Amino acid sequence: MDEISFDDFLKVDIRLGTVIRAEPFPEARKPAIKLWIDFGPEIGEKKSSAQITVHYDPETLVGKQVMAVVNFPPRQIGPMRSEVLVLGVADETGAIVLIGPDKAAPNGTRMH
């Protein structure tokens, strides 16, 4: 495992946001869902594509709070421009489980 400095870690801006819209993303090479996430007044609404179709349906994601890296450059994924990287962990089968708080917190809150 490569070590990083604490200053390197602080460069990664991980924020809390609430999914306000979610749609299937059939144009993606791998099964994915398009997400629109509200990160509060400082950052606003950002889009992302996430390969989370095993555990989530678009209808169940609206209102869910998720953690995302908000300071990566945008990435073109098929016809969509993904602006943030939503964070998750792989379960025992490799399917992604989203990372979020166990209690509600304000959108845009930075991870400490």
Side-chain angles (χ1 to χ4, degrees):
M1 176 180 346
D2 292 335
E3 289 186 9
I4 64 170
S5 71
F6 189 70
D7 287 341
D8 289 336
F9 173 73
L10 290 176
K11 291 177 186 175
V12 181
D13 192 356
I14 300 173
R15 303 282 183 122
L16 180 65
T18 299
V19 177
I20 56 174
R21 185 172 147 206
E23 297 177 356
F25 191 9
E27 303 92 348
R29 267 187 268 143
K30 294 182 180 179
I33 297 174
K34 294 184 218 179
L35 303 172
W36 287 259
I37 305 166
D38 177 9
F39 289 99
E42 181 185 343
I43 297 171
E45 181 183 314
K46 299 289 182 181
K47 294 182 293 189
S48 187
S49 168
Q51 296 172 2
I52 55 174
T53 57
V54 172
H55 292 297
Y56 305 96
D57 294 311
E59 311 81 50
T60 63
L61 288 166
V62 175
K64 182 170 184 57
Q65 288 197 298
V66 296
M67 300 300 296
V69 176
V70 298
N71 64 335
F72 280 143
R75 187 170 168 214
Q76 194 69 36
I77 300 174
M80 180 183 177
R81 193 166 174 86
S82 184
E83 300 170 303
V84 298
L85 175 66
V86 176
L87 299 177
V89 295
D91 69 9
E92 64 280 348
T93 69
I96 301 302
V97 177
L98 293 171
I99 296 174
D102 63 353
K103 298 197 184 327
N107 288 337
T109 300
R110 188 170 181 165
M111 188 180 84
H112 294 281

